[in-house]
Each structure stands twice: as structure tokens, then as C-alpha cells.
Amino acid sequence: MQIVLRKIWHTLKVVAFVLLSFTIEGRANAQDSTLVSLNFKDAPADRVLAHIERQTGFAFFYSSRVKNEFGKVDINVKNMPISKALLQIFRGKNVIWYIRNRSVTLAFGDNRGIRDEGDSIRLITVKGQVLSSDFSGGNGGVAGATVKIKGGNKGAVTNESGEFIIVDVPANATLLISSIGFEPTSMKISGKTYVSITLVRLIKTIGNVEVVSTGYQNLPKERATGSFYQIGNEVLRRTPSTNILDRIQHVSSGLRADPDNQARTTGTKYVIRGFSTINSNRRPLFVIDGFPYEESAGPDVISMMNPNDIESITILKDAAAASIWGVRSGNGVIVITTKKGKINSRPEISFLSNITIEEKPRINDMPMISGADAIAYENELFKTGFYNPNDDIYPNVRHFPIISPAMELLLAGRRGELTPNEVKMGLDRFSSQDIRRDVLKYFVRLPITQQYNLSIRGGSEKSTYYLSFGYDKSKPPDRYSDSRRYTVNFSNNFNIYKFLETNFYINYGKQEVNAGNINYQNLLPGGNKVAPYSVIVDPVSGEHLDIPNSAGLRDKYLDTVNFPGKLDWKYRPLDEVNSGSRKDQNDMIRLGGEFRFKILKGLLLEFKGQYANTKVINEVLRDGSSFINRNLVNRFSFVDAGGIVQYPFPLGGTLLMSQSKQAAWNLRAQLSYSISWKEHSVVSILGAESSETKFGGSSNSFWDMMSLPDSL
């Protein structure tokens, strides 16, 4: 029985082989033995194809788009195989074909390389596997992915292992692969019968979902509780300010930026949702890349950051922030997230340059009393005898308070030193003067700010990177001041294993601020004893004139007093410009890293650390010709018993130096778990944090320096 079965099976194999050989030969013969006779001149190609169909019984299939490539045909052949006839019909045209049984399919393609008499396109069977580059999934197969042939309807869906098979695929076809949650991609077969395709997670799409950062975690907007406001990179780029916080003050509801003079009183420039207290701390809490930074009178880390390195800012406004950051968040929280690299992204090189030109300060629009009104007011006070004590007790006691130039004229007329006509002429001259004209001409300029930023950003499946260099140069309205800032930012992320991820970042900034010995704001009337009708430069001779100074004495006394060794006691603003300078230098470095372990699905263990160091150095240099030094020399000098003038305050220049330092480190271990099912989700965090901040500072004064160094 076994012998009979073996003989039958052998016979079946032989028959199958014969049938297969017959089928293959039959298909070749159908192509090669079918002959056509054609005689057309300047005829449409579709008309020629219709004639072939009537002669041979073959059917041609093509789209209207392919038909547009046909053109006109000149052909005169007799008993030619159909494959050779097609070569002559479509020579020089972008049409290719393949023959299956008695069907001919036409498509777009270059047929210049066709030399054989068979199909112009070889049909193959393609097998393959679609893989995932997802970090958590390793390179596992993607189930349910769609694999289609570009330009056709044929395709397949991958099985649980991500495998697929498609038969009768043109050898030059392109596969289109897509799956939910992955970036769609394509691949040219190029004659291969097995392909492996890797899909990348839709990282960018996930990033476009609105996410609120609390500093400890990122939550989708719809799941975040409390009041918050998020500002993305596109909004941050609208304002070309060099300070990141200046870019958000007009785009965020509930955030108010106070003027600098009010900020000195409240302790902060930025207030969230109004005052939370009368006399206590009103400063919000800043969180940079997950670690807190408390705004203080020390070095300002925020102003040292390059705004072009910021990805987003989230402002937490209400008591919900206290559940995260505790009592420190009583005045609100500003969460700053810096830029990072992108997974599977080619290098993106970006260069940003902008120049901002602002108008001069409108000091002419200041609500200031005019010279004529000021003199009229002072004249009324004089008539009441308000200023009489300034003359009645002078010089019997050492009482030399500063009074205005107009009052000095009126008192001089009262004493009989000036005639009424001379007093009137002097007052009329004062009435036509305005100190703001000289301030605008000699101390104010057009503010100009220049910003330059070069960055490169990218990554692969295993790592990402971001590197930027920034340079800012500012010329403020004060003519004798300028500032420069240099920044470098680098971050790198590595997927070491499918369960382990690490990142590292370093941020460095340096700022230099140079200021003159005088600021234009100190010359405007206020609490500095400057009269609104004062003049800084004589309009005729160009001589530098003196004006009252709050640290000085009355002109009547200065014009009459005389003692051995007395120095010039007048305050001339334009002479003060070159008598000293101020230099501030800020340095900041911030570096940190993180390890993330994916223990189980939804269970994440993180270890984070950061170290930040800031240093501020201030130098105030004044030479012996400055008013402050001359005033101190005159006030404390005396003649000893031997008739020699003594100067307790040295005659030379002074150099005042101070520096402040702040060093802080943070360490955090955090275990988080999240799970979602149907319309529900649970997120939990367990962690511990340790931090330390140290402040330090020192100051030094150098006196009697006849020859001062540029810097120490």
C-alpha cells in the first residue's frame, strides 16, 4: 500500500511540474505569438490601441492622465509581435506597461531602458515587516498598519507581528505605509522581494497638543485644574525684547509689569493677579526646567536667559499652584521650559537677527510745571515771606539749604544787591528756559537694540541635541550707557536602552553693563532740587553751566565762602560725564541632568539634579574732579595748628567695588504612575527633593588713588 501511494505522489509531482511549465510557456507565447499589422500616420495613440484590440482581442487599461501622454503616432508594421509594436508606439513618451494574460495596463514611467519584447514592468511578490521605533516598545512589529501601492488600490494590513504580503507588485512600485499614532512614510521597492519598514511615533503631533507644565509634570490642558495661562514659542517670538519676561507682560491675562521705580518699592516688577499682601513678599515663584528659582535682590537669573532658547511659559495663578509648590507659590508661579532637540529630525539651523529702534523718551510730555508758572509760584511764596529766614539767619549759623535760582534773584533784590529791573530781566530769562531742551540735546539718544542668535537642533531615533549662541547689544536712551550679553545653551538627550533615558544641559550667560557718571533722569525736576528753568549749557558761549545738586549747598554760600585749599564746589552736569563710570558684570552658569527609568507600563522613576551659580561684580570709578569727591574734600578739609591744610578725605580718585554670589543645587527623586481606561485616568506622584542655596558678598573701597587702574 505504501509503495502504491509513493508512486501516485511521484506521478502527481510530475504532472504539476508539466502543468506549471505549460502555464509559463503559454503566457510567454501569448505575448510573443500575437502579431499585429498597423499602418497609421499622425494618428492619435488611443485610436491605434483600439485597432490592436480589434485585431488581437487584448484589452488596454489606462487613466485619462496617462492618455494625455499618448500624443500622435506614426507606425507601419506587418505581423509584428505586440510587445515590439508597443515599443514603437510609445517610444519617447513617459508610458510603461505590463501584460497579464490578455490585459495590458498602461502607467506613467520612463521606457527608454526597455529592450526586451516582454513586459516593461516585472511583477513580483513582496513580503515584509513594519516595525516601531517607539522607545518603550523596542523595535516591535506594528499591528494593523496599512501598506498600499502608490497609484493603485492593491495593498495589505499587517498582522500581530507587523508582517504583510502583497502579490503582483510592479518591481518599480512605491509602498505607502501608515498607522494610527505614527508618522506616515513611503519606500521604493526597487525590485526587492522583502522589505523592512520602521515607523516613527508622531512626536510632533503629541507636542502640538496643549500641555500645561507645572514644573513637576506635564498635563494635557483638559486635565489640568486651576487657573493657568500658557504661552507658546510663536507668541514669545512676537516681541523682540532681550528679557523673556518683557515678552509676556502684554499677552498674559492677570500678569502685570510695574515700572522700575515701583518695583523697587514692592520688591518685584511682576505681579500675578494683583497684590496678595500689603507689606510682605509679593514676588512670584519662578520654575526653570522643573527647578524653582526665587527672585531676590541678588543676581537675576531670568534676565541672563536668552529668550530665543525658551520653548514655552506657563503661568499658574490660583491656589491650585499651592498644592504643587506649597507656600512659596502664594504669589503665583511662572514655569519656564527651554528648548530641546527633536527625535528623528534632520539638523535645523536657524539664524535670527533683528534691530529694534525705539523713539526717544518723551520727556517733553512729562507733567512738569513750566518755567513761567514755577517763577510765578515762587514769587507768590516770596511775597508771603516764606524764604525770608534764608537771609535773616544767614550767615550767623551754618544753615545753607539749596534754594532755586529765581529765589536767589528775589532775595538779592530784597537785600539791595540788584535793582528791580535787573531782577525782572533775570526772571524773564528764566521764564523762557526749559531744562528738558538741554537734557534731550546732550544726554538722550535714540535707543537701539541688536539681537543675534544662531541655533542648531535635531536628533535621531536614539538621541537629540540643541545648541545655540546668542549675542545682544543695547544702547539705552541714556547716551553714556550701553550693555552687552553673551549666551550659550546646549542640551543632549540619549535613549540608552528601551527602558532608560538620560539628558544633560548647560546654560551660560554673561552680561556687561557700562554706565556714565550721570544719568539723564537725575537732571529732571523732582526730588533733586533741579529747577525746571535751569540751563546746562550757555546758548551763546557754549560754556558748561552749574545747577543745584541735592548733595550740594546754596549758591550764595558757594559764591562767597573761601578757605585755604578749597576746591571748586560747583556742580556742572556735562563736566561730570567724563569724571567717572560704572561697570556691572553678571555671570551665570546653570547645568543639570536627568535619568528616567521606565519600570513598567505607566510607571516611571526619575532622578534629576541641577547646579546654578551666579556672580555679580559692580565697580564705581570716580576721579578727583567728580563733584562727589570735591564735595567731600571741601566738607572735611581743615587747617591745622601749623597752618597746613589737611584733607581727611583724599584728593585723588576712588574705586568702589562690590560683588555678590549665589550658588544653589537641587536633587530630586520622583516616582510617577499614570493609567487610563475608557474616559478615566489616574495620575500619581511620589518623590523627595533636597536643595541648598548659599549667598555671599563683599565690598571694597580704594581711596587716594592719583592713578587709577582700569579695573581690579
Side-chain angles (χ1 to χ4, degrees), residues 140-196:
V142 178
T146 301
V147 184
K148 291 181 61 178
I149 299 175
K150 185 177 181 179
N153 297 323
K154 187 173 291 187
V157 177
T158 59
N159 60 17
E160 294 181 355
S161 300
E163 299 172 337
F164 68 91
I165 181 171
I166 308 176
V167 299
D168 293 338
V169 179
N172 65 341
T174 298
L175 298 181
L176 302 179
I177 307 96
S178 61
S179 181
I180 297 176
F182 293 87
E183 291 272 7
T185 186
S186 61
M187 172 182 283
K188 288 186 177 182
I189 297 176
S190 301
K192 292 181 288 187
T193 58
Y194 184 87
V195 293
S196 178

Side-chain angles (χ1 to χ4, degrees), residues 34-39 55 75-82 84-85 88:
T34 303
L35 305 178
V36 294
S37 297
L38 304 171
N39 186 9
Q55 281 191 35
I75 186 171
N76 186 6
V77 297
K78 188 173 182 180
N79 296 329
M80 177 178 285
I82 186 172
K84 284 188 176 183
Q88 289 198 24

Side-chain angles (χ1 to χ4, degrees), residues 203-249:
I203 302 298
K204 292 183 180 179
T205 302
I206 295 175
N208 289 335
V209 176
E210 293 191 68
V211 176
V212 178
S213 175
T214 66
Y216 281 107
Q217 59 181 161
N218 295 328
L219 296 175
K221 183 178 180 180
E222 64 275 5
R223 285 171 47 197
T225 61
S227 178
F228 60 87
Y229 189 86
Q230 188 176 38
I231 306 171
N233 185 256
E234 291 186 2
V235 177
L236 293 175
R237 293 174 59 183
R238 294 177 184 174
T239 305
S241 173
T242 58
N243 190 319
I244 183 60
L245 296 182
D246 291 340
R247 297 191 177 193
I248 67 175
Q249 58 178 306

Side-chain angles (χ1 to χ4, degrees), residues 488-536:
V488 179
N489 189 25
F490 175 72
S491 66
N492 209 180
N493 186 88
F494 292 96
N495 294 336
I496 301 176
Y497 299 104
K498 64 180 181 180
F499 61 86
L500 175 60
E501 180 180 354
T502 182
N503 69 66
F504 169 79
Y505 61 85
I506 181 171
N507 177 224
Y508 173 75
K510 181 177 182 178
Q511 185 177 37
E512 297 176 348
V513 180
N514 299 305
N517 197 34
I518 188 171
N519 188 292
Y520 79 91
Q521 296 178 350
N522 297 331
L523 300 175
L524 299 175
N528 50 10
K529 307 296 184 181
V530 178
Y533 47 80
S534 298
V535 179
I536 297 175

